[in-house]
Amino acid sequence: LPISESVEARKKFRSKLEELQASLSALADARFPVIAAVQGGCIGGGVDMATACCLRYATTDAWFVIQEINLGMMADVGTFNRMPKQLPEAVVRELGYTGDKLPAERAERLGFVNGLFDTHEQLVAGALEVAKRIAAKAPVAVAATKQMISYTRDHSVAESFAYLNALQPSIFDIEE
């Protein structure tokens, strides 16, 4: 290919990649908590999506796999940007290098999955029950809590206190 076509192809690829990343980042950046309910295989882009969610529930037969390595590529829509903050680094490396499955029971034991259910119906009911409990709380406080947890994950304790001290007065309303 002429260099100009190669450059154009790479620019198109990067543009599409950024579009896909932004679509999943919208879940992570939403003002409200996003809950994933996973049944069966959560593969490749599904793992990208699950890592963008605040909470993850799964059926006992669910599993997660970073499939991209099995296709000769690297996961590129959020798995490696989010998962190392959700699982021990050595586990992420193992999954990323091998393309092995992470069974739901191990995922829960490691803290990646919040809860397990035996059936699809129980999974949906359980995830919806958590959503209802969250929805019963003050929306501004829930949004600020999500914002604070995300900020703290990426900053020092001192920076997090400074952020909290600026955020709390703007949302605190005992009447809500």
Side-chain angles (χ1 to χ4, degrees):
L1 288 174
I3 291 176
S4 62
E5 286 183 31
S6 176
V7 169
E8 282 307 309
R10 291 176 187 278
K11 284 170 67 177
K12 276 180 143 174
F13 180 85
R14 181 176 177 150
S15 178
K16 182 50 103 175
L17 186 58
E18 289 172 346
E19 180 183 327
L20 291 170
Q21 291 166 347
S23 69
L24 293 182
S25 289
L27 297 175
D29 298 338
R31 188 168 190 266
F32 48 84
V34 178
I35 300 172
V38 178
Q39 179 183 1
C42 186
I43 303 164
V47 176
D48 292 318
M49 182 179 288
T51 63
C53 295
C54 299
L55 305 173
R56 289 166 290 281
Y57 296 92
T59 54
T60 53
D61 66 345
W63 46 272
F64 303 83
V65 64
I66 302 172
Q67 185 66 15
E68 291 84 349
I69 196 68
N70 296 326
L71 304 173
M73 60 183 290
M74 173 182 61
D76 56 6
V77 187
T79 293
F80 293 133
N81 307 86
R82 295 184 178 96
M83 192 179 260
K85 297 176 184 197
Q86 301 165 344
L87 280 169
E89 181 181 329
V91 174
V92 176
R93 287 181 182 278
E94 176 188 17
L95 298 172
Y97 299 157
T98 66
D100 289 346
K101 293 178 181 177
L102 174 65
E105 289 182 5
R106 183 177 182 210
E108 183 191 37
R109 191 172 60 250
L110 293 169
F112 185 64
V113 168
N114 296 83
L116 296 177
F117 299 89
D118 290 325
T119 68
H120 168 77
E121 293 75 21
Q122 291 171 342
L123 169 65
V124 171
L128 287 173
E129 175 56 33
V130 171
K132 288 176 188 172
R133 291 197 333 258
I134 294 168
K137 308 300 181 198
V140 170
V142 171
T145 298
K146 179 179 178 177
Q147 189 176 352
M148 190 65 221
I149 291 169
S150 295
Y151 186 90
T152 298
R153 176 195 60 216
D154 300 330
H155 295 83
S156 72
V157 172
E159 291 168 322
S160 296
F161 271 120
Y163 188 78
L164 180 138
N165 292 341
L167 180 62
Q168 182 72 312
S170 69
I171 66 104
F172 187 76
D173 182 355
I174 198 69
E175 297 302 317
E176 190 178 357

